[in-house]
């Protein structure tokens, strides 16, 4: 009898498994080996601090973000008094799983196939990768951290089978030396409908390699061609392609993260990817942590209602950030004309300061009241077209 079976060994699942094992709970983590999620790999200082990420996991430290508009307008935003760390998920995720195991979590390699319930308890079924046989684990609770198309969520949580998502695709390439268009200390974010009609493209340095990709929820977009176009525009066509990866990315948090009985969700399975930015690693790990807290509370009290703590704790810290970012995406990602205005708005120093302080610290920061008023007025002016732009 396990206390918790964690389904999924990405940042959310590995964090939940580690925290529960450290708390003395008997926990087992099931993960499919070899899967690498497409991801730009940016992690902010708060993640590094809160989750004790060692410096040797950072393959690059970025000090500038460049916003690029549909007409080629470029706005460079310096990251003052710090940096954004970059990780490669092919190395970072195994590190997190190894750390959970060192903390005392058991590991199984296989594919989740279902949950059965009877008088003896809850049983998680999975197909063992090495033997091909179906194995059965008896547990008191299940944490579903198995991604945007979570089978745990679909099987057990109301609404878990209807989560909206975009498809992300990227190519990891051998990075060139610094040149006129590529800088290993700069992340490029490309807002251009020719690359993505409803999201954005990215060029994120990974030290000796680089992640080049895009995301979209629009059917019929050729992701590989869009990425090829982005590579061409970024002067990266001739760089060696090391690997290609694609996966769904959720668009909004689910209304419920638990089934009121024995299952709670975490990470992409719960839909916790930030709107507008698409950032997911920090929110996945925080989601794994609060899922572990909720599970531990349920195990201690015997109250299944404690599983709802996970969503309440997450939203207490991040609901407003998600709401603001969602409004930004809805307002500015509709057309190239609006994307142009969004990049123009990023020229404003107050916007830059608030945006990056919020990103680095994962909370909406308070600025001077007049700065907020100025940002609000500029936002209205850009959305209504009062600010004149030149389009080509």
């Amino acid at each position: 009898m396990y206390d918790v079976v964690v389904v999924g060994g990405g940042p959310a699942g590995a964090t939940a498994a580690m925290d529960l094992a450290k708390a003395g709970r008997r926990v087992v983590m099931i993960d499919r080996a070899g899967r690498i999620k497409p991801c730009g790999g940016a992690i902010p200082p708060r993640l590094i601090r809160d989750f004790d990420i060692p410096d040797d996991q950072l393959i690059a430290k970025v000090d500038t973000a460049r916003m690029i508009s549909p007409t080629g307008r470029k706005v460079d935003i310096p990251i003052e008094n710090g940096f954004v760390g970059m990780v490669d998920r092919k190395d970072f995720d195994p590190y997190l799983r190894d750390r959970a195991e060192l903390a005392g979590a058991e590991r199984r390699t296989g594919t989740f196939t279902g949950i059965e319930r009877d008088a003896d308890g809850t049983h998680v079924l999975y197909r063992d990768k090495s033997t091909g046989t179906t194995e059965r684990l008896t547990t008191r609770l299940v944490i579903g951290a198995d991604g945007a198309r979570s089978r745990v969520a679909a099987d057990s949580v109301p609404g878990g089978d209807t989560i909206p998502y975009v498809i992300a695709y990227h190519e990891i390439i051998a990075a060139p030396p610094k040149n006129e268009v590529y800088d290993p200390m700069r992340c490029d974010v490309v807002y251009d409908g020719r690359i993505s009609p409803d999201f954005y493209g990215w060029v994120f340095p990974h030290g000796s390699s680089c992640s080049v990709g895009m995301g979209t929820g629009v059917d019929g977009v050729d992701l590989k061609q869009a990425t090829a176009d982005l590579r061409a525009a970024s002067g990266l066509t001739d760089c060696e392609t090391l690997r290609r990866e694609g996966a769904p990315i959720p668009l909004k948090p689910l209304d419920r993260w638990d089934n009121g009985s024995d299952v709670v969700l975490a990470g992409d399975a719960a839909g916790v990817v930030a709107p507008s930015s698409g950032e997911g690693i920090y929110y996945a790990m925080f989601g794994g942590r609060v899922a572990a807290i909720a599970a531990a509370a349920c195990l201690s009290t015997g109250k299944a209602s404690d599983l709802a703590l996970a969503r309440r704790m997450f939203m207490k810290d991040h609901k407003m950030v998600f709401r603001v970012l969602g409004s930004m995406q809805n307002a500015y990602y509709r057309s190239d004309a609006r994307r142009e205005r969004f990049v123009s708005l990023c020229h404003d120093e107050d916007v830059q300061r608030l945006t990056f302080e919020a990103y680095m610290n994962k909370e909406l920061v308070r600025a001077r009241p007049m700065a907020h008023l100025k940002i609000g007025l500029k936002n209205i002016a850009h959305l209504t077209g009062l600010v004149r732009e030149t389009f080509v």
Side-chain angles (χ1 to χ4, degrees):
M1 170 69 75
Y2 289 95
D3 290 320
V4 182
V5 171
V6 179
V7 180
T15 300
M18 179 186 71
D19 284 1
L20 286 164
K22 283 185 174 181
R25 298 296 180 178
R26 190 177 183 206
V27 56
V28 60
M29 177 174 59
I30 305 169
D31 187 65
R32 294 182 296 167
R35 179 182 177 274
I36 306 171
K37 181 181 176 182
C39 179
I43 61 173
R46 182 168 174 182
L47 184 155
I48 296 169
R49 180 177 66 249
D50 288 0
F51 297 96
D52 299 320
I53 304 303
D55 200 64
D56 61 14
Q57 282 298 310
L58 305 181
I59 54 177
K61 295 179 179 180
V62 170
D63 61 16
T64 305
R66 170 171 286 181
M67 314 299 219
I68 303 175
S69 78
T71 63
R73 178 201 305 266
K74 298 177 179 66
V75 177
D76 285 355
I77 305 177
I79 302 170
E80 298 179 357
N81 303 316
F83 62 88
V84 172
M86 307 301 296
V87 298
D88 191 325
R89 295 290 294 273
K90 78 174 177 61
D91 303 312
F92 187 63
D93 289 16
Y95 162 76
L96 296 177
R97 290 191 284 271
D98 290 344
R99 191 166 70 166
E101 187 174 24
L102 286 172
E106 295 183 34
R107 288 174 62 177
R108 306 292 176 90
T109 302
T111 303
F112 169 82
T113 58
I115 298 176
E116 295 178 348
R117 298 172 178 88
D118 58 25
D120 294 326
T122 300
H123 313 283
V124 174
L125 307 180
Y126 74 99
R127 184 173 296 107
D128 186 276
K129 182 178 181 180
S130 61
T131 65
T133 59
T134 296
E135 304 294 334
R136 192 170 186 253
L137 301 172
T138 301
T139 185
R140 297 172 66 186
L141 297 175
V142 179
I143 292 179
D146 52 333
R149 291 172 175 163
S150 168
R151 292 194 60 184
V152 175
D155 287 353
S156 300
V157 177
D161 58 347
T162 59
I163 186 168
Y165 57 83
V166 300
I167 299 296
Y169 172 81
H170 80 159
E171 296 175 359
I172 298 292
I173 64 172
K178 181 178 179 179
N179 56 46
E180 298 169 341
V181 291
Y182 178 77
D183 187 337
M185 296 292 290
R186 187 188 70 225
C187 286
D188 291 356
V189 184
V190 181
Y191 298 97
D192 188 337
R194 292 166 296 186
I195 302 300
S196 171
D198 59 330
F199 207 54
Y200 64 80
W202 68 82
V203 178
F204 284 5
H206 283 187
S208 62
S209 62
C210 176
S211 166
V212 186
M214 51 78 68
T216 182
V218 177
D219 290 337
V221 174
D222 188 331
L223 280 73
K224 292 185 178 181
Q225 184 58 53
T227 302
D229 294 341
L230 176 57
R231 287 180 62 169
S234 304
L236 301 171
T237 298
D238 295 333
C239 295
E240 179 188 2
T241 301
L242 304 177
R243 65 180 197 267
R244 299 177 173 88
E245 295 145 3
I249 306 294
L251 286 176
K252 60 176 292 189
L254 290 174
D255 293 332
R256 283 194 64 173
W257 293 6
D258 70 279
N259 67 345
S261 175
D262 57 3
V263 173
V264 63
L265 305 177
D268 281 9
V272 292
V273 171
S276 181
S277 69
E279 183 195 359
I281 301 177
Y282 171 79
Y283 295 111
M285 295 181 74
F286 186 83
R289 177 149 290 171
V290 295
I293 292 171
C298 178
L299 291 168
S300 296
T301 65
K303 296 178 181 178
S305 59
D306 283 340
L307 294 176
L309 281 171
R311 191 179 192 280
R312 288 204 300 270
M313 293 177 69
F314 187 96
M315 290 303 173
K316 181 177 182 292
D317 276 14
H318 302 298
K319 180 178 180 179
M320 187 55 66
V321 171
F322 273 51
R323 181 177 293 172
V324 169
L325 292 176
S327 298
M328 182 185 298
Q329 181 170 334
N330 291 335
Y332 284 109
Y333 286 18
R334 294 182 181 180
S335 67
D336 275 354
R338 291 204 171 191
R339 293 184 188 96
E340 194 75 34
R341 295 186 183 279
F342 172 67
V343 174
S344 178
L345 182 64
C346 290
H347 275 288
D348 187 272
E349 290 185 0
D350 287 307
V351 171
Q352 294 180 13
R353 175 175 173 269
L354 290 178
T355 297
F356 267 90
E357 287 191 12
Y359 171 77
M360 303 281 267
N361 300 306
K362 290 292 159 278
E363 58 188 14
L364 293 177
V365 295
R366 295 182 179 180
R368 303 178 308 278
M370 287 306 296
H372 279 293
L373 177 60
K374 183 171 71 171
I375 290 168
L377 292 174
K378 282 194 172 187
N379 190 49
I380 293 170
H382 280 271
L383 286 172
T384 57
L386 293 177
V387 175
R388 297 184 61 84
E389 300 282 358
T390 302
F391 300 104
V392 295

